[in-house]
Amino acid sequence: MKRLFSFTLVCLCLSYELDGQSSLNIGRVNPSGGVASTTLLVGGHESEAISKIEGNPYLIDEFLSTDMVIEVNGKQQNTNFYAKFNIFNNNFEVKHEEEIKYLDASIVREFEHMKGDKKIKFIHAGQFQKAGFDGDGFLQLLSEGKAQLLSQEAVTVTQVSRGGFGVPDEISEKFYREKSYFILVSDQFYEFKSFTNSSLKIFEEKTDQVKEFVKAKKLKFKNEEDIKNIVDYFNSL
């Protein structure tokens, strides 16, 4: 991946427990010959340590109708769950038969949340390895065309100290979120953080036109809607 900036990301990992783990007969197959999607759900609950962390680790903190493309034993199939994605634990929580079950995200190639009348699409990072992306997890597709604009949220845990004069500090833990943006153009990945006017050279022969557009519209490189407008404009040329 071509890096337009350098950064270090330190991730504090906590254990995740699936107590009384009970797979729903993984060997069962559906009539189409693939593994039945419900057989991949596992029972359990999150550890007490994680439940005490302030904030939430979810991509979207509500259960939504979710279309998924999953791959098992080299075969892909489509399925739908009422689910939400836990970024920190890298798994899906699924509402199934009035219970909360868990689905390992490693078998999911892409998924699409339905929020109202809006479809929000996410693609597994492995799909972009050939273009030089070396990360993990899922990337949200924000704009599609000659150039693709994608974003990714990372969730880590940070310690928060609370106290005051004469009051002992109280240490607690809080989920910290960071969002990064990427552009895939001409089969090459670029990270958008610390993007500047000179970075627009990635648009090659359209660079001057894109620069004029950015200047005319007074667009900011740190604003998601402005970034999307830049990529959408390039895709329209």
Side-chain angles (χ1 to χ4, degrees):
M1 181 187 351
K2 299 242 182 183
R3 297 183 182 274
L4 300 175
F5 72 104
S6 298
F7 74 102
T8 302
L9 181 62
V10 179
C11 178
L12 170 64
C13 295
L14 298 180
S15 63
Y16 188 78
E17 300 172 358
L18 292 178
D19 295 335
Q21 196 175 73
S22 57
S23 169
L24 304 179
N25 184 12
I26 285 183
R28 186 163 60 85
V29 296
N30 63 23
S32 66
V35 176
S37 56
T38 55
T39 68
L40 302 170
L41 301 181
V42 176
H45 60 81
E46 69 180 20
S47 70
E48 184 179 350
I50 287 184
S51 66
K52 290 181 178 179
I53 301 173
E54 295 178 29
N56 80 79
Y58 300 104
L59 195 60
I60 300 175
D61 192 17
E62 60 180 296
F63 286 96
L64 298 170
S65 177
T66 305
D67 292 328
M68 296 182 184
V69 177
I70 62 175
E71 183 173 333
V72 181
N73 298 328
K75 294 183 178 180
Q76 291 191 359
Q77 66 183 77
N78 299 319
T79 189
N80 178 276
F81 289 118
Y82 202 52
K84 60 181 179 179
F85 180 61
N86 186 318
I87 304 170
F88 187 75
N89 288 324
N90 195 38
N91 66 10
F92 290 89
E93 294 182 19
V94 177
K95 275 191 176 180
H96 178 68
E97 297 179 352
E98 306 303 318
E99 292 184 286
I100 303 301
K101 300 289 186 180
Y102 298 87
L103 177 69
D104 182 1
S106 67
I107 66 170
V108 179
R109 296 294 163 259
E110 62 183 60
F111 67 95
E112 200 168 63
H113 278 322
M114 288 295 299
K115 189 171 175 62
D117 59 356
K118 184 179 179 182
K119 291 183 178 181
I120 310 171
K121 186 173 182 177
F122 299 85
I123 304 170
H124 193 272
Q127 309 289 80
F128 301 108
Q129 285 181 348
K130 289 184 178 179
F133 185 73
D134 55 3
D136 201 2
F138 291 90
L139 291 87
Q140 181 180 348
L141 182 62
L142 298 173
S143 183
E144 191 169 18
K146 292 179 293 185
Q148 290 185 338
L149 174 65
L150 303 114
S151 67
Q152 185 176 51
E153 281 200 81
V155 173
T156 54
V157 172
T158 185
Q159 289 191 330
V160 180
S161 177
R162 294 185 177 88
F165 183 75
V167 179
D169 285 349
E170 178 183 333
I171 305 297
S172 61
E173 292 179 318
K174 182 177 182 180
F175 286 117
Y176 172 76
R177 309 174 79 97
E178 183 177 28
K179 196 169 189 178
S180 300
Y181 295 91
F182 307 88
I183 294 178
L184 174 60
V185 61
S186 300
D187 296 320
Q188 182 64 59
F189 244 92
Y190 299 88
E191 298 185 69
F192 210 101
K193 207 169 187 179
S194 299
F195 212 74
T196 65
N197 225 38
S198 63
S199 305
L200 295 173
K201 63 185 179 182
I202 66 171
F203 296 118
E204 299 175 344
E205 70 272 11
K206 304 296 183 183
T207 295
D208 289 341
Q209 289 172 267
V210 175
K211 279 185 178 181
E212 286 300 317
F213 177 76
V214 170
K215 183 178 179 180
K217 299 293 184 180
K218 299 180 180 179
L219 301 179
K220 306 296 182 184
F221 295 123
K222 295 186 182 298
N223 179 289
E224 182 175 299
E225 193 58 37
D226 285 359
I227 296 171
K228 187 176 184 304
N229 284 337
I230 293 169
V231 177
D232 285 344
Y233 175 71
F234 170 74
N235 285 334
S236 72
L237 295 176

